[in-house]
Each structure stands twice: as C-alpha cells, then as structure tokens.
Amino acid sequence: MNFRLPALIALALAGLFAGAQPPLAASPAAPQQQPPPAATAANSQQPQATEKPNLAEEPDDLGFTSVASLAGARELLARVEKRYPGDNTQKLAMALAVVVEYETAEGNTTGETVALADRAIRVAENAEGKESSIYAIALAVRARVYGALDHPELGRPMAEEAFQIENRVQHDLGDYVTVAEGLVSVCQTQSDSLCEDKTLGAQLAAIHADPVNGHRFLVSTLIFSISTRHFRKDYERARPYAEELEALAEKEETNNYNWITAEHTLSQYYEDASDYPKAYEHARKAVEMGAAVHGPDSQLDSTVISNLAWLEMALGHGDESQKTYQRVIGLYLRRWGPDHSRTADVRAVYAQVLEAAGRHREALDMALESHHIKREYVRLAIRLMPERQALALSDTHSPSFNTLVSIGVNNPDVGGATVYQEVVRSRALVAEEMALRAAGLSRAHDPAVALLEDELENRRRTVMQLQGGAPRTKDNALPEAIERMEQIERDLAARSARFRADERARRSDLADLRAQMPPGSALVSFVSFAWRRPEPEDFSRSPKFSYAAFVMRKNSERIRVYNLGRAAPIDDLVKAMRASADAEAHSNGLGSTRNERAYRESGEALRKAIWDPLRPALVGARMAFVVPDGMLNLIPFAALPDGQGYLVDRSPVIHMLSSERDLIPAEAAPRKAGLLAIGSPQFEQAALETAGPQLRGAPVDCQAFTDMQFAPLPASLGEVRDVATTWKKWNRPERADLLTGSEATRASFLEAAPRARVLHVATHAFVLDKACGNGNPLLHSGLVFAGANRDRQASVLTAQQIASLDLNGVDWAVLSACSTGNGELHDGEGVLGLVRSFRVAGAKTVVMTLWPVDDEIARQYMRSLYAERFARHKTTADSAWLATRSLLAGRRAAGKSTHPWYWAGFVASGAWQ
C-alpha cells in the first residue's frame, strides 16, 4: 500500500500506485514548527506479502497521485465516496487520511478535521480490522491531528499503538516507514529526542535489513533523519546520515524528484555547518536536476533556486545573487502570488541582499512589504487559535520583523517613521486578539452587526488560508478575497462604534498616537530583535540578539532610532540588579550597604546602555511613556541610578505601557463603581512565620507549589483597611467592599470583581517554572485566596482564569502581592502572567510588583498611592510616581537604607490618565 504519512502528502502518494512520481508543486505548506519531511523513493511495483488487494497493482483512475492542494484532496474524497458508498473500503480510509493530512499541513486543523480523522479510523477498522496497516496509518494520522491542536500528549498513545500494530503485521515496508514517521512527528512536537532517535533507528534498521525493497525508502528516510536533526540543530548527529546520503548520490543519483530533494537537503545541511562551498555545489546540482526534470525556470524549483541565491551571497557573489533573487521573486509571484506568506519570506531575505548591496531604500521597501504580509497573515490566523497556539504562530513573523528593524536601525534616516509604524502594529498581536475576544464575549450584540461579524470571520479565514496555503489556482483569488474582507470591515465600521474603536487601536497610526499624548510628553519604545550587520561579508553570519529604541515626541513628526547594542550584556545587567534586590529582600537588613552598592553598579551601567543614549531626544519632556521589551520588562526604570540619586528624583515622570496601543482610547466602557479590597486571607494550616519580613510569594517549581503552606500576611489587613478608609473619605457615593480572613475566598472575588471600579488584592501570588503544566504560560501564575492550605484547587485563581473575567470598566487592578509583574517573557508580547491576564480581561491599568515586597512597605506605598489619586486627584502616572518618590524620601529622612528593593518594586502599567 505504501501510503506515506509526512506533510508533503502528494509525494507520499507516489508509492501508492505503480510508476507514479508527483512533481514538486504537489507539496502543501509544511508547518513552521517542524522540519520538512522527506519524499518517497517508491517508483516500482510493491512486493506481495499477503493476499489482500495492493493498490500498487491498480490504476490510479481516481487521481490519488495528482492531488496538489487541499481543494484537490477534498475533490478526491468526493470521487471516492461516490464510487465506494459505505464506510468500509480501504480507498475511502486513505482518501480521508489525505484530506486530514492536507488540512493539518496547511494549518487548517478544525473540528471538521478531527471528525474526518476519527471517520478514517472507523472506516479502516471496518475495511480490514484493527490488526492492519491501514488502521495503523489512520491512527498515526489522528495522532498528528492531536499534535497540530497542541495536544501531543493525547496523540502519543495513538502513534505508539499504530507503531506497535505495524510491527506486528508489517506486510509492507512502506507502511512501516509511514507509521514510524508518524510517531517521530509526534515525538518532535513533544521535543522528545530520545523517542525520535529510537524510532528513526528502528526505521533505518528495517530498511537496511531488507536489501530487496529497502533501497526504495532509504533515500527518503535519510532525508527525513537529516531534517529531524536539522530541526533540533543537532548537526553532529546528522552527519552520518548526510555522509550516507552523499555516498548513495555518488552511486545512484539520477534526475528525478527524490534526488532533487536529496541534493537540496544536503545543501541545507552543509549550509548550517557553514561549509558554503560544499553547500553551493549541492544547491547547484539540485537546480540543474530541477531544470532537467521540470524545464528551466520552473515554478516547481523556486525553493531550490532560492537556496542557491542565498549561497551565492554567502560566498560573496553579490551581483549573481541579486540576479538570481530577481529570478526567484518572479517564480514565487507566479507560483504563490504577491500576497502569500511564502512570497513574503523570500522577499525578506532579498531585502537583506539589497541592503548589503547598498540599495537601502529598495531594501526598506522590500522589507516593509514582506513584514506587512506576514503580520496580517499572523493577525488573521491567531483569530482562530487558542492563546498557546497563537503565541507559537506569532514567532513565525520574526524573520521579516528582524530584517525590517535591522534595516531601520542601520539606516535611521531612510525610513525611521515607517519602520516604527510597523513595530507598533506588530506589538502584542496575541494580547490584542485575546482582549478583543474576551470583550466580545461580554458584549451585547446588535443582530445585524453579529451577522456581519460572522461573515467577516469567514472572510478572514478564507484570506488566511489563501495567504498560507497551497499554490494559487486562480490569479486574482487572494486579491478578491482581501477586497471582500475589507468591504465587510467598512460595513461594520459604519454600523458599530465598538468595531471602529477596535480597528482604530489595531491600526495605531503614529499620528493618532501623537494626538493622544499629553503636552510635553515622549513615547519610548524598546524593541528586542535579531540584528543583522549590513556589510556583505557579514551576510551569512548569524544575527545578534540586540535592543533598539524608538523615540517619538508629542510636538514632532521626527522619529529617532537608536541601536542599543547586544542583548546579552544588557540582560546580564538586569539580572544583576534583580539579584541584588533579591539579596536585600532576604538579608534581614544585614549587608544593605553592600547590596545597594552592587545594585547601583549594575544599574548605572544599565542606565548608560539603554537610557543615556535617548536623553537628547527627551530634553524638556515632562512625561515619558515607556514600552519595554525582553528583559527590560522586569526593571523599574524609576530606580535606575542617576548621579547620587535615581531617575525618580528627576523629570520626566516615567509611565509604563504594555504596548503603544495603550494610548488609544478604548470603546466607552460601562460605568462601574466601588472598591473591592481583599487582604489577609485565612489560609489555614499556614507554616509558622519565620524571622524577617513576610514576603508575598516567589517563583516555585511544580512540586514545591503543591507542597507549599502559605504563611499569613498580617500587615495586609491594615493595608486594605487603610485603602478602604481613604476610598470612603474621597469617594463617598461609592461603596467599599472589604473581604478579609475566611471571607477572602476565590468565589467571593469572582462574584464581586466584575462590579467594582477599583480592585485591590493583597495576598500571595505565585509564578511557576515554565516547565509546569501543559505549556500555557497563563497557567503558570496566579493569586492565592482563603483556604489555600486546605483545598488548593478551590482557592487558587490562575492568570488564565482571570483573563476570562469581564473586567471591562475596571479603572485599576492593584496587585499588592509578590512579583505580580513577573511571568514568562515573550518578545513582542511582553510578560505573560497576571498583568497580562488583568489587561486582557479589560482592566485599564494594573499596579504590579516586580519583585518580592515587604508587608509594611506595601502598606505605606498604598496609603500614598490612593491619597495622591483620590485625595489630590493626580493622574495614575503621577500618583504612582509620587508614591514611589514618597517612599524613597521617607527612608532618606529616617536614615534608612535606600536600596530600591524598599521603594521601587511597585509599577503602574496601562492607561496613564
């Protein structure tokens, strides 16, 4: 039967029918997270191991081997269903598997995909029983669907069962290879290299043990083995497979698709090993074979020609590379169209070539076009995904983003504003989508608007599939789909104020941002990116992770761009500052002078690296809005040492934003009233207090969290009473609900939080190691309520659960617990944790902590914060800044340590008003 499982499904079908060899165009887009699977080498009659029908003996009159797209796969299924009614034939099971594989490979995995995969299993069982190769293949396909849905842990048992069945029946070596590759695929998704190596080893052993039939699968399996190690960047372990493949090429190589793929794979292997001359020779062979098989300048060879163009540039042949890339661009435009994500990818690399050639304006235009397409593709795709999948997909636009920012940083006078506009629109795409999704669930819908929204969702799905799917079948299909989508967006904007507000925030035009900034303000945007040097001799070198900054002033259209240098030394300084704060937190006041000296040394170096270069652009500014990225999310900018003091001692006031879009006014929220303050929960069975300050939580691993007993927080009772007293004094018409002791439960919080205007939570927080759970970062942090030492599940509220609340209309969420500003860092998205969850739920501003805080210090800070805001009517930005300054001034007046751990841990982020 020899049905091949990998994502290049049409290549797999070559082994189904005698003599069939599909062309390169037959492969759908492979998932970004996995290496490209190998092609089958089958091109001759299958051996007869049983009396069961063998499809290799039958003519392919249904068109299995001509399938070249998802649409073609669905048409094949319709033909098979028409000819073979009833769910009991082998061909129907295979046709179902083909559709499922295409949907999975093209990123279209939906509930329908799951239903088709389950049906394939039933049909296979009806046709040949559970002890059959077709049943094993159906199981393996279903396992891959689980992997595509980010549940490889559910797919793994199925893939293992399929492999065990095939080991028992093993009627056909091709089926064995197929099912083995299915298990390898799931193991890849789980990053289980031991499983990958063991299964691939068994696959190769079976091939080598069958000299009669094994050679037909050896090439494809070697390619697959090299690709697997390539994906893991395990080049040394890929070497023996590459050497064996090279030896086979010298003896057996002929002009056919399989050897084109082999030469291309070897080229990429040597490219990764930085042996560019050898990589070039293999790439040249692949191109020559492609021309012999498909004709010169065939669209089918666009990928191998693109690889050759890159290697020409890496070897210093810039003129040749530019000519080849122009040829490649033409091929991609013909094959995929101008708006396809694959065309965008090759344009991003060509932009690097143009920059190295000194053609800066052309390079910038090419990079802008490339990244715009990638950003819009990701934006549309994540609308259909859960957050964990969306975060993984958002990484796929990084290469085009890195290219664009590199060109902007290298040539700041060429297009600073246009690059900055793309930076702003690319920031926090997933957070924006999750916030819009959560808000949509809590809004009442006009029926006419709801119908338009449903139609828009369908149009967006169509555009996303065309942008990331198979080669175009109609020249104007994607432009027409985009036009239809945009027309519905215009109709919605005319009907819905909410949609207009959402689209305005999404566009985040620089002119709109500037208009929302108060007089005398500046917007400072930090960007973590992989920087490429513009010199031709550096083209092939790996980019260096770096930081850049963009500065925009209220009264100027000029955008200033700064390259702040390598990320590693900057991140090391951030770690040193935080280590000093942690040391002070646990020192019981001993060694404060030494700890502050260490903090100031690293902090001053950090200020010189990331703040001093920007000072000329900040002259005269009274307020600076700062959007951090990378590790810079974890520092209080107010506490950067400056002379004998700190930045908090001087202007401008610094206010943090999670993204530049925080400046855009949101849709008018329902008016809420009142304060909900939770403090001093009765955790029960708490551990005895230890000497020194009581700290509100810290990162722990999974087992430690399970075993932990939460200590009481006695000062938090005074804190929330102070807050309630201040609130009642200055907000007489609004209620103040106080939940303490045994009443400070999770259930009470969930019931009351959506009604309040201000939330104040003074309790323990937790931040778990990222290895915990199923990989969703919002399950790694949360808040702890009364009863946590008795019933953990009923007393812990995770960030993911908080994100699902309706907090639209909440002005402040004050998280007076340890390290509530921490979480999993994700470039371009910020910190994935409690702050993210409250913002997604709708809270305008979150007051958070960047490190463990002392109970009594928290009480002092909150007393000052609420007084500034509600008694003196300061803005949120000024209230937080002045409360921090007040803490520092009080310690100076008392002759106490001024280590920033005592006064700088609280930071406000979000709406500044």
Side-chain angles (χ1 to χ4, degrees):
M1 181 175 12
N2 192 22
F3 174 80
R4 300 301 308 283
L5 184 60
L8 299 180
I9 187 69
L11 300 176
L13 290 168
L16 285 170
F17 301 94
Q21 275 196 341
L24 181 60
S27 59
Q32 292 281 348
Q33 293 86 357
Q34 296 185 12
T40 178
N43 59 6
S44 61
Q45 188 76 15
Q46 296 292 321
Q48 291 297 299
T50 72
E51 295 302 316
K52 292 182 179 179
N54 192 319
L55 293 179
E57 296 180 331
E58 301 180 21
D60 182 22
D61 56 340
L62 287 167
F64 272 86
T65 57
S66 63
V67 173
S69 66
L70 176 57
R74 288 171 175 162
E75 291 170 2
L76 168 69
L77 177 59
R79 291 194 298 271
V80 174
E81 287 180 317
K82 184 176 181 180
R83 180 175 298 184
Y84 300 104
D87 282 4
N88 58 4
T89 64
Q90 186 191 64
K91 281 190 175 180
L92 178 57
M94 292 167 56
L96 288 164
V98 170
V99 174
V100 172
E101 278 288 85
Y102 263 101
E103 289 190 352
T104 303
E106 294 188 9
N108 299 322
T109 310
T110 64
E112 180 187 355
T113 312
V114 174
L116 289 172
D118 288 340
R119 184 183 170 200
I121 293 174
R122 292 195 304 272
V123 173
E125 182 178 0
N126 292 340
E128 298 194 5
K130 290 187 175 182
E131 286 295 304
S132 65
S133 291
I134 187 61
Y135 184 78
I137 288 169
L139 283 179
V141 168
R142 181 65 174 91
R144 283 168 60 85
V145 172
Y146 272 126
L149 293 173
D150 266 353
H151 286 293
E153 73 282 359
L154 300 178
R156 178 74 171 265
M158 286 185 136
E160 289 176 339
E161 182 184 355
F163 193 50
Q164 290 166 3
I165 292 171
E166 190 58 41
N167 270 297
R168 290 195 295 269
V169 300
Q170 201 167 354
H171 298 306
D172 183 279
L173 181 59
D175 295 340
Y176 182 84
V177 171
T178 292
V179 175
E181 288 179 3
L183 178 55
V184 171
S185 175
V186 175
C187 295
Q188 283 177 343
T189 309
Q190 292 186 303
S191 299
D192 187 344
S193 58
L194 183 62
C195 167
E196 288 180 49
D197 292 341
K198 182 179 178 181
T199 310
L200 275 171
Q203 182 177 329
L204 276 169
I207 290 169
H208 285 136
D210 186 350
V212 175
N213 301 301
H215 73 279
R216 293 184 293 106
F217 304 101
L218 182 55
V219 172
S220 62
T221 302
L222 288 171
I223 291 172
F224 191 70
S225 300
I226 295 169
S227 299
T228 299
R229 272 71 179 185
H230 167 85
F231 175 65
R232 297 206 306 259
K233 301 187 184 301
D234 191 356
Y235 308 126
E236 282 302 310
R237 298 187 71 179
R239 179 181 297 175
Y241 305 108
E243 291 173 348
E244 185 174 359
L245 185 59
E246 272 192 309
L248 281 173
E250 290 178 5
K251 293 187 295 185
E252 302 181 13
E253 190 168 77
T254 57
N255 287 339
N256 63 37
Y257 180 84
N258 299 299
W259 285 110
I260 297 172
T261 306
E263 289 292 348
H264 181 61
T265 301
L266 287 169
S267 176
Q268 291 185 314
Y269 167 76
Y270 284 109
E271 179 184 314
D272 291 328
S274 299
D275 189 343
Y276 299 125
K278 203 161 186 177
Y280 176 81
E281 286 305 310
H282 285 291
R284 184 182 55 77
K285 280 186 181 180
V287 172
E288 290 174 353
M289 286 182 179
V293 173
H294 305 127
D297 279 342
S298 170
Q299 299 175 41
L300 309 182
D301 296 323
S302 54
T303 301
V304 294
I305 299 173
S306 176
N307 187 47
L308 179 68
W310 191 94
L311 287 163
E312 287 173 339
M313 190 66 196
L315 290 169
H317 306 151
D319 291 342
E320 291 87 342
S321 178
Q322 290 179 59
K323 293 176 183 176
T324 308
Y325 264 116
Q326 290 169 6
R327 176 183 168 197
V328 168
I329 294 291
L331 293 173
Y332 270 75
L333 288 172
R334 283 160 48 202
R335 185 180 183 195
W336 303 99
D339 299 312
H340 197 282
S341 62
R342 294 195 180 192
T343 306
D345 288 337
V346 77
R347 277 178 165 154
V349 183
Y350 186 35
Q352 298 168 18
V353 174
L354 290 173
E355 186 191 23
R359 297 163 63 179
H360 301 141
R361 170 53 65 180
E362 294 172 83
L364 178 63
D365 291 344
M366 186 70 66
L368 282 167
E369 191 173 3
S370 166
H371 185 62
H372 172 76
I373 294 170
K374 293 294 288 187
R375 172 173 57 78
E376 286 302 293
Y377 169 66
V378 169
R379 185 180 68 84
L380 291 174
I382 62 179
R383 297 182 69 89
L384 312 174
M385 298 177 173
E387 182 159 22
R388 187 158 59 105
Q389 282 186 351
L391 286 167
L393 181 66
S394 69
D395 285 335
T396 65
H397 79 334
S398 295
S400 63
F401 179 80
N402 293 334
T403 297
L404 176 63
V405 176
S406 291
I407 294 173
V409 166
N410 296 335
N411 309 278
D413 297 329
V414 172
T418 52
V419 173
Y420 184 42
Q421 181 68 82
E422 276 298 307
V423 167
V424 169
R425 288 174 176 167
S426 301
R427 179 97 65 183
L429 289 178
V430 178
E432 174 195 39
E433 168 56 29
M434 294 303 119
L436 292 176
R437 193 179 297 179
L441 292 174
S442 61
R443 289 165 170 156
H445 284 274
D446 179 317
V449 170
L451 284 174
L452 279 174
E453 288 178 333
D454 289 343
E455 186 176 356
L456 177 59
E457 203 63 30
N458 290 331
R459 294 301 182 191
R460 284 170 167 167
R461 186 189 299 270
T462 299
V463 170
M464 184 271 293
Q465 290 172 352
L466 287 170
Q467 282 183 323
R472 60 185 188 176
T473 55
K474 181 181 174 186
D475 283 350
N476 56 348
L478 183 54
E480 286 179 358
I482 292 173
E483 173 56 33
R484 287 195 295 270
M485 178 186 74
E486 291 177 346
Q487 181 58 54
I488 297 171
E489 289 176 341
R490 288 190 288 269
D491 293 345
L492 261 175
R495 286 175 174 266
S496 170
R498 172 185 64 78
F499 185 83
R500 289 196 297 274
D502 291 345
E503 288 299 289
R504 179 186 179 189
R506 183 181 67 81
R507 288 195 308 271
S508 301
D509 292 329
L510 295 187
D512 200 359
L513 292 173
R514 193 179 291 110
Q516 301 306 317
M517 295 165 61
S521 63
L523 175 58
V524 179
S525 299
F526 291 96
V527 179
S528 173
F529 72 111
W531 177 55
R532 289 187 174 276
R533 295 175 61 87
E535 290 77 13
E537 58 271 20
D538 294 314
F539 176 80
S540 62
R541 294 179 182 172
S542 298
K544 307 297 183 184
F545 287 100
S546 304
Y547 284 104
F550 295 80
V551 180
M552 181 171 76
R553 293 297 297 266
K554 165 74 173 179
N555 57 352
S556 173
E557 293 186 1
R558 179 185 175 190
I559 304 297
R560 294 172 172 84
V561 185
Y562 301 89
N563 186 350
L564 302 178
R566 295 279 302 279
I570 291 174
D571 290 347
D572 286 343
L573 292 171
V574 172
K575 294 172 186 175
M577 288 173 61
R578 291 179 59 82
S580 171
D582 188 64
E584 185 64 23
H586 297 90
S587 70
N588 283 336
L590 302 176
S592 291
T593 301
R594 179 181 65 253
N595 289 335
E596 185 170 3
R597 186 187 312 115
Y599 181 98
R600 289 187 66 85
E601 286 176 359
S602 54
E604 185 172 1
L606 183 63
R607 190 209 72 230
K608 290 178 179 178
I610 68 168
W611 194 255
D612 286 2
L614 317 184
R615 276 183 153 153
L618 299 175
V619 172
R622 296 193 296 274
M623 180 177 291
F625 297 106
V626 173
V627 185
D629 203 1
M631 291 285 289
L632 300 183
N633 281 282
L634 303 181
I635 60 164
F637 278 75
L640 289 176
D642 191 25
Q644 297 301 308
Y646 295 88
L647 288 186
V648 73
D649 293 313
R650 298 166 178 79
S651 289
V653 170
I654 297 174
H655 181 72
M656 310 305 291
L657 305 177
S658 59
S659 81
E660 293 81 0
R661 286 190 284 280
D662 286 348
L663 292 172
I664 303 293
E667 175 197 10
R671 176 68 178 174
K672 294 184 176 180
L675 165 77
L676 172 64
I678 290 185
S680 191
Q682 184 179 333
F683 300 115
E684 293 130 322
Q685 302 175 17
L688 294 175
E689 294 185 31
T690 57
Q694 277 300 310
L695 306 179
R696 303 180 187 180
V700 292
D701 62 30
C702 302
Q703 189 58 47
F705 180 69
T706 302
D707 298 339
M708 179 179 289
Q709 293 287 296
F710 293 99
L713 299 168
S716 70
L717 179 60
E719 174 187 325
V720 294
R721 285 175 174 170
D722 287 350
V723 167
T725 298
T726 302
W727 180 270
K728 290 174 182 177
K729 183 176 181 181
W730 299 106
N731 297 276
R732 292 183 184 278
E734 298 188 42
R735 69 184 184 280
D737 295 331
L738 206 60
L739 297 175
T740 61
S742 60
E743 295 181 346
T745 64
R746 184 180 77 161
S748 298
F749 175 81
L750 291 174
E751 180 183 359
R755 299 194 299 266
R757 179 160 71 96
V758 172
L759 304 176
H760 188 104
V761 183
T763 184
H764 285 294
F766 63 88
V767 181
L768 302 178
D769 184 274
K770 67 169 60 177
C772 295
N774 70 346
N776 188 335
L778 294 187
L779 292 176
H780 297 167
S781 57
L783 297 170
V784 182
F785 294 89
N789 291 337
R790 176 171 44 84
D791 186 349
R792 186 63 44 90
Q793 294 301 315
S795 307
V796 165
L797 191 62
T798 67
Q800 185 180 55
Q801 293 165 329
I802 293 167
S804 67
L805 298 176
D806 177 14
L807 301 184
N808 197 27
V810 170
D811 288 341
W812 276 12
V814 182
L815 308 181
S816 184
C818 277
S819 305
T820 51
N822 293 354
E824 186 175 319
L825 288 172
H826 198 285
D827 286 345
E829 288 288 334
V831 180
L832 308 182
L834 283 168
V835 175
R836 159 75 157 251
S837 67
F838 275 95
R839 294 300 310 281
V840 165
K844 294 178 183 177
T845 302
V846 178
V847 179
M848 58 182 165
T849 58
L850 293 179
W851 47 55
V853 293
D854 171 63
D855 255 356
E856 189 55 43
I857 291 172
R859 182 178 182 179
Q860 295 172 27
Y861 177 86
M862 295 303 167
R863 188 183 298 135
S864 179
L865 176 72
Y866 279 81
E868 293 292 346
R869 177 62 171 159
F870 298 107
R872 303 181 183 91
H873 306 291
K874 300 290 186 180
T875 65
T876 294
D878 284 336
S879 298
W881 189 258
L882 291 171
T884 299
R885 184 181 283 182
S886 174
L887 267 185
L888 175 58
R891 297 193 68 81
R892 283 172 173 161
K896 295 181 178 179
S897 169
T898 56
H899 191 296
W901 177 75
Y902 294 101
W903 55 268
F906 286 97
V907 175
S909 176
W912 64 275
Q913 294 89 342

